[in-house]
Structure formats: C-alpha cells, structure tokens
Amino acid sequence: MREIGAIIFDLDGVITDTAEYHYLAWKQLAEELGVHFDRAFNERLKGVSRMDSLHMILDHGGIVLSEEEMNELAHKKNEHYKTFIQQITPDDLLPGILPFLNEIRAAEIPTALASASKNARPVIRQLKIESFLDTIVDAATVKNGKPDPEIFLKAADQLAVTPDKCVGVEDAEAGVDSIKAAGMYAVGVGSKKAMAKADWIIEHPSQLTLKALRGHYG
Ligand code: BG6
Ligand code: MG
C-alpha cells in the first residue's frame, strides 16, 4: 500500500462552511451592481482570489471600473464577509472534520492549510484548530493563486514532503486544478460535475476517514 506523506486542506467549504458566506457576500455586491448572480456562476469563483473574483463578476455584467472603484468594491465585499465570520466558533467545523483531524494526528501524518483567503488565519483561530495544522500557506504568501499549483507546492515544501506523496482536499474546481497541477492526489468535496477532475469525489467531508482515503489512495 502507498503511504500518505501529508494531507493539505483547503479551508472555505472543506473545513467550515465559509464558502456559503463568500457566496452571500458576493451575491449582495453583485445585486447592488445589477449583475445577475447565481450558484452556478458562484462555482467558478470558489477558490479564486478576492480581486480575481471581482474581475469575473464585473466581466460577467459587462461593467468597466477604475482600479480605485474596484478596490472599494473588494473592500466592501470583505467587510460584508467579515461580519459573517465574526460569529464562527468550533461548532462551525463541518461534521466529520474534527474526527478526521484527530485520526491524522494519531497517525502522525503531517498536515497543512492551503487557502486562497486572506481571512484564513482568523477563521482557523476561531475554529480552534491551529494545533492540528503543521503549516499554513495563505493568499498573502503566494504570488499565483489557484488554479496555479504554487500554493499546494509551497505547503508541501514547508512540510518537507514531496508532492507525489501529498493528498490535497478541495471543494473548488480551481482548487482541484491546482492540486493536480502540483502532481498530488486530489480529494474533491462536492458534486461529480464540479469535482470531475478529482481522484476521489465525496459529497461531504463527513465521508473523510483515513480508512476510506487509504482505500482510494491505494
Ligand atoms: C477562497 C474562497 O478560499 O478564498 C474564495 O474559496 C475567496 O471564494 C478567496 O474569494 C479569497 O478570500 P478572501 O477572504 O481573501 O477574500
Ligand atoms: Mg474552498
């Protein structure tokens, strides 16, 4: 059986349901701009940086703005998002995540967080799971966002584990592309359609157990 060298987690939508808060915050902004916004369009924004997401929404609505106006809108979306995440507590860990993190710790498998969010650190603190993560790579520390492999490669490098021994867990199409481009094994949390390129697709994080992962990883 192949040994798992490390497990690298996305945050929003995998560990906690902040993907829903990003969706609600973008939807409010898009509606204020008069741009049609639904869940299908939102799938394309998952895993994508704040500024790139804004560009995609503006393109979608055929709106052209100055850099200053775009910075203001990105700030506004983030303020809205921050009001949602203020309330986060350990109860907001998605079902199955804490038992999985405990299993990983017991098996002494190194772990990392690879999140495109500049809000990742406060969210992790509020969830009280810092001790389960050996290293954190967030948007502030990489040049190229997902789907570029940089963020997952940096996490592997910080853990001193080669990419071919790493498992990445994602809920975003851009995230799965990033994991695969890094040469890692991808677990996709979500629909078969959105997660089509993942090596193992699960509908919900509660399906994450080491036994099931090892069974698929081989
Ligand atoms: C990703 C989310 O984790 O972080 C995206 O999937 C979000 O939806 C991105 O746009 C950036 O987040 P933030 O908190 O830096 O605006
Ligand atoms: Mg995500």
Side-chain angles (χ1 to χ4, degrees):
M1 198 157 91
R2 273 205 301 163
E3 281 279 312
I4 296 171
I7 303 181
I8 307 173
F9 289 91
D10 170 49
L11 171 64
D12 298 324
V14 169
I15 289 181
T16 186
D17 205 10
T18 35
E20 184 66 14
Y21 298 153
H22 282 294
Y23 164 72
L24 293 171
W26 282 128
K27 189 172 167 63
Q28 175 159 335
L29 192 86
E31 278 168 1
E32 282 168 24
L33 292 167
V35 176
H36 175 73
F37 192 89
D38 58 17
R39 286 187 185 271
F41 184 75
N42 184 63
E43 274 309 310
R44 292 166 49 194
L45 302 186
K46 284 188 182 170
V48 175
S49 76
R50 194 181 309 162
M51 225 38 195
D52 287 348
S53 300
L54 179 61
H55 282 136
M56 286 167 74
I57 292 169
L58 294 175
D59 281 354
H60 185 58
I63 298 173
V64 179
L65 296 175
S66 69
E67 202 165 321
E68 199 187 328
E69 288 167 320
M70 286 195 288
N71 286 337
E72 265 171 39
L73 288 180
H75 178 75
K76 194 170 173 188
K77 183 267 173 179
N78 194 46
E79 288 301 303
H80 195 47
Y81 179 71
K82 285 199 303 192
T83 60
F84 284 125
I85 62 172
Q86 261 170 25
Q87 313 300 327
I88 289 178
T89 72
D91 287 343
D92 293 300
L93 284 166
L94 281 168
I97 288 294
L98 194 58
F100 187 50
L101 290 172
N102 273 307
E103 262 196 300
I104 297 171
R105 267 289 174 255
E108 295 181 3
I109 298 171
T111 54
L113 189 81
S115 173
S117 172
K118 290 184 176 157
N119 294 293
R121 284 171 195 271
V123 170
I124 288 299
R125 263 199 304 277
Q126 281 170 246
L127 291 169
K128 298 203 187 311
I129 55 165
E130 302 105 304
S131 64
F132 289 101
L133 298 165
D134 298 311
T135 191
I136 293 178
V137 187
D138 65 17
T141 52
V142 288
K143 269 203 228 94
N144 307 299
K146 301 170 187 178
D148 189 280
E150 184 182 349
I151 192 162
F152 281 94
L153 289 175
K154 192 162 181 186
D157 187 55
Q158 287 179 192
L159 294 174
V161 177
T162 55
D164 61 314
K165 294 196 172 59
C166 292
V167 171
V169 190
E170 264 288 352
D171 71 318
E173 287 185 45
V176 171
D177 287 345
S178 174
I179 296 171
K180 293 312 297 171
M184 300 179 182
Y185 182 91
V187 179
V189 183
S191 70
K192 287 206 171 81
K193 185 168 173 269
M195 296 294 101
K197 290 186 227 157
D199 297 296
W200 178 35
I201 303 170
I202 55 175
E203 273 172 35
H204 196 271
S206 59
Q207 290 161 263
L208 282 169
T209 61
L210 264 187
K211 191 170 175 230
L213 175 59
R214 283 181 172 137
H216 283 85
Y217 183 74

